[in-house]
Amino acid sequence: MHSAIIAALSFFVVLGIMVLVHEFGHFAVAKWFGVRVEVFSIGMGKRLFGFKRGDTDYRLSLLPLGGYVKMAGEMGGDGTMDVSTGDSAMQEVLTGEEPHRTATSETPANVRRELDPGDLNAKPRWQRILIGVAGPVSNLVLAFLLMAGLFMMHNEVPDYFREQVTLDPVPTDTPASRAGLREGDTIVSFDGQQHPTYEDVGIRAGIDGNSTVPLVIDRSGQTVKTQINIPAPTKQEDLTPESLGLYTQVQKTPLQVKTLEPGMPAEAAGIKPGDVIESLKGSQFHYVRSLVASLQQSGATPVDIVVLREGNRLNFTVRPAPMLDETGQRQYRLGFTSTDPPYHVEQLPLSAAMHLSYTTNVHYAGAIVTVLRRIFTRSDTVKQLSGPIGMARQTGEAFSAQGWQPTIDLMALISLNLGIFNLLPFPVLDGGMILLLLIEGLIRRDINQQFKERIYQVAFVVLILFFAFVMFNDFSRLPIFTHLKP
């Protein structure tokens, strides 16, 4: 019960901040262009309290989901939907956007000349496009600033990033295995760089694509010279040490179980939090990703696991279960998370923090775009989506974790998601409104208002169905339902 309360409160706090920043972007640019803003609301529904300054009523509303900015000319006179209707209120809840904004159209020239200069419809299309873009861009900027500030004040870096690479078990049929590398090998030289760290190997691998580079390793005190063939990078994945089969030992001790996923093979077999994985398939693992890579090779074949529990050695045989990872790819898993590897804290200068924030957000954005693309090409990807309940669970876990880094990381990721999602060229989103304005600008006339209304009505129904499906995904993942699954 306590965790549920934390999850709910943290979700409303995070969502409130994201929506505040998003709507402030629309608000600031609208004010800049002289549009009269009538309402700036955090939350929807009945007005609880607030104050009026100038033409704007700044208010806190009853429902703590989303928010909106109401500009002059957005309701009435142009055939757009009224937010007082039930459907419109639901649309606000779903998108955090007032539906009448996305339905705003270019009015005929003879009507526009009679409009108040502060009316949104009196403004040229390019200004209205910038007003629409400002909300998503504000979320993207927030994600960038959050990550940059975190890297300046508290950047947690795993120790193995700065240590020499000692290999965990090497998966078969990888460039590393074909080069003859084995578990326990320490890389002495990689492409001429002496005593490279894991970070150094990652940098060299990224720039040495489609080439064969010399490699010197230390194997139990003996020097072994070989070479590794680095393939050409693909569009789907940049070259990393792991893509070559180079899994470093992120810690000196074997993996230890931190948490178990309900209903997964590890829990069903009797493995418990705190167990130390002494061996799996006869090998000892110090990095959970190398263990996962090993499981992919055996597939659904049962594997032997030896764990240490309070000084006792226990043997288990577990059959990995096929799951879909965040990219929609099939992956065999046991269903446990391991304890975090050792790390240290860095405080980066401003320029380095900004650069790292930029590259981190670009990486996250690429992953988000990949997931969105797969939604339309792979039906199983949709099943992995999370909605408000999933977000609440994640924010609750982040708020309960030690330190601010998990919370800042999640807030940046949610803000980035919100910015990208709202730029999609789908009616009832900012991107849909921008697309229609661009089309009207190209054809130099207004799109028929009744036709646009039909587009928005269909899109709204699709959005509701999509939202309902995502909510069903959320409910199906709750423990009370996962325990009912056969």
Side-chain angles (χ1 to χ4, degrees):
M1 183 63 179
H2 177 68
S3 60
I5 294 175
I6 293 178
L9 292 178
S10 61
F11 171 68
F12 290 138
V13 169
V14 170
L15 183 64
I17 294 173
M18 300 299 105
V19 171
L20 175 63
V21 170
H22 183 96
E23 296 301 334
F24 181 78
H26 293 306
F27 171 83
V29 178
K31 283 283 193 180
W32 186 24
F33 288 134
V35 177
R36 187 171 66 257
V37 179
E38 298 174 351
V39 177
F40 186 106
S41 176
I42 300 300
M44 273 83 64
K46 183 179 179 181
R47 183 184 192 274
L48 295 179
F49 58 87
F51 62 93
K52 188 169 184 178
R53 179 171 297 176
D55 296 319
T56 307
D57 177 23
Y58 301 88
R59 64 174 66 165
L60 184 67
S61 299
L62 180 63
L63 299 177
L65 288 173
Y68 64 92
V69 170
K70 177 186 176 301
M71 304 174 204
E74 283 191 310
M75 288 194 301
D78 60 352
T80 57
M81 294 180 291
D82 193 318
V83 293
S84 63
T85 65
D87 285 349
S88 301
M90 177 61 72
Q91 186 174 350
E92 286 181 353
V93 173
L94 293 177
T95 66
E97 297 286 344
E98 273 205 302
H100 49 264
R101 177 190 302 126
T102 57
T104 300
S105 65
E106 183 80 13
T107 54
N110 62 333
V111 177
R112 187 166 61 252
R113 284 195 297 268
E114 301 175 1
L115 291 176
D116 187 320
D119 192 294
L120 178 65
N121 295 310
K123 304 301 178 182
R125 290 189 180 95
W126 69 269
Q127 291 187 2
R128 282 183 280 161
I129 288 175
L130 290 181
I131 292 172
V133 168
V137 168
S138 296
N139 286 120
L140 301 181
V141 171
L142 176 62
F144 173 80
L145 294 177
L146 285 172
M147 296 302 293
L150 181 64
F151 293 148
M152 288 180 63
M153 295 183 294
H154 190 85
N155 181 34
E156 296 182 0
V157 181
D159 289 347
Y160 69 89
F161 263 64
R162 303 289 189 265
E163 295 177 348
Q164 201 167 349
V165 176
T166 298
L167 297 179
D168 231 23
V170 178
T172 59
D173 196 26
T174 61
S177 65
R178 289 190 286 271
L181 300 184
R182 305 175 188 171
E183 175 184 355
D185 287 349
T186 299
I187 298 179
V188 177
S189 174
F190 189 92
D191 194 21
Q193 184 168 356
Q194 301 299 312
H195 307 291
T197 64
Y198 179 80
E199 191 172 33
D200 295 331
V201 172
I203 294 173
R204 297 304 307 178
I207 63 179
D208 287 335
N210 198 26
S211 64
T212 300
V213 301
L215 189 64
V216 180
I217 60 175
D218 181 298
R219 180 176 295 161
S220 302
Q222 295 184 348
T223 299
V224 178
K225 295 183 179 180
T226 183
Q227 56 186 16
I228 185 170
N229 180 39
I230 302 178
T234 64
K235 294 182 180 180
Q236 291 78 18
E237 181 183 46
D238 293 331
L239 287 175
T240 64
E242 295 170 3
S243 69
L244 304 177
L246 300 174
Y247 291 88
T248 188
Q249 296 183 8
V250 302
Q251 58 193 40
K252 304 303 180 184
T253 57
L255 293 175
Q256 184 175 20
V257 177
K258 181 180 181 180
T259 61
L260 295 166
E261 296 184 38
M264 290 292 286
E267 183 192 55
I271 295 175
K272 297 181 179 180
D275 287 352
V276 175
I277 308 296
E278 187 176 61
S279 70
L280 183 144
K281 298 169 58 177
S283 298
Q284 190 173 88
F285 292 86
H286 307 79
Y287 189 17
V288 70
R289 291 191 178 180
S290 61
L291 184 147
V292 170
S294 178
L295 290 176
Q296 307 322 301
Q297 297 178 332
S298 56
T301 302
V303 295
D304 294 326
I305 303 177
V306 180
V307 306
L308 293 178
R309 181 186 300 166
E310 299 178 351
N312 298 316
R313 184 175 282 103
L314 304 175
N315 296 279
F316 299 93
T317 299
V318 184
R319 183 188 297 274
M323 301 288 290
L324 295 179
D325 62 15
E326 61 275 5
T327 65
Q329 299 297 317
R330 181 183 294 272
Q331 187 180 78
Y332 287 91
R333 295 173 50 202
L334 298 178
F336 74 88
T337 60
S338 63
T339 54
D340 299 327
Y343 66 90
H344 62 279
V345 176
E346 292 180 345
Q347 295 178 322
L348 301 180
L350 177 62
S351 59
M354 292 178 66
H355 176 73
L356 184 56
S357 175
Y358 170 78
T359 56
T360 301
N361 278 287
V362 168
H363 174 74
Y364 285 161
I368 293 169
V369 171
T370 298
V371 172
L372 290 173
R373 185 175 67 249
R374 288 178 180 273
I375 289 175
F376 300 99
T377 58
R378 297 174 60 102
S379 59
D380 52 1
T381 301
V382 182
K383 300 177 183 178
Q384 306 303 310
L385 297 177
S386 292
I389 296 176
M391 288 177 58
R393 185 187 301 115
Q394 293 175 8
T395 55
E397 292 173 353
F399 270 63
S400 300
Q402 184 177 6
W404 282 96
Q405 183 160 2
T407 301
I408 299 298
D409 282 340
L410 184 61
M411 288 180 65
L413 186 58
I414 292 176
S415 189
L416 190 65
N417 269 278
L418 185 60
I420 293 175
F421 183 77
N422 271 280
L423 285 175
L424 292 178
F426 187 78
V428 310
L429 298 178
D430 290 321
M433 179 269 289
I434 294 168
L435 177 62
L436 289 179
L437 286 172
L438 289 173
I439 293 174
E440 290 180 340
L442 288 174
I443 64 178
R444 297 183 179 277
R445 63 180 177 83
D446 298 343
I447 297 175
N448 180 273
Q449 185 60 37
Q450 290 184 343
F451 177 71
K452 284 205 293 185
E453 288 178 0
R454 297 297 178 269
I455 292 177
Y456 281 102
Q457 288 170 358
V458 172
F460 182 54
V461 172
V462 172
L463 191 62
I464 288 180
L465 293 175
F466 178 76
F467 181 78
F469 184 81
V470 172
M471 287 290 291
F472 175 79
N473 282 348
D474 278 348
F475 279 111
S476 66
R477 294 190 188 104
L478 293 176
I480 186 174
F481 294 109
T482 57
H483 291 320
L484 296 177
K485 294 180 180 180

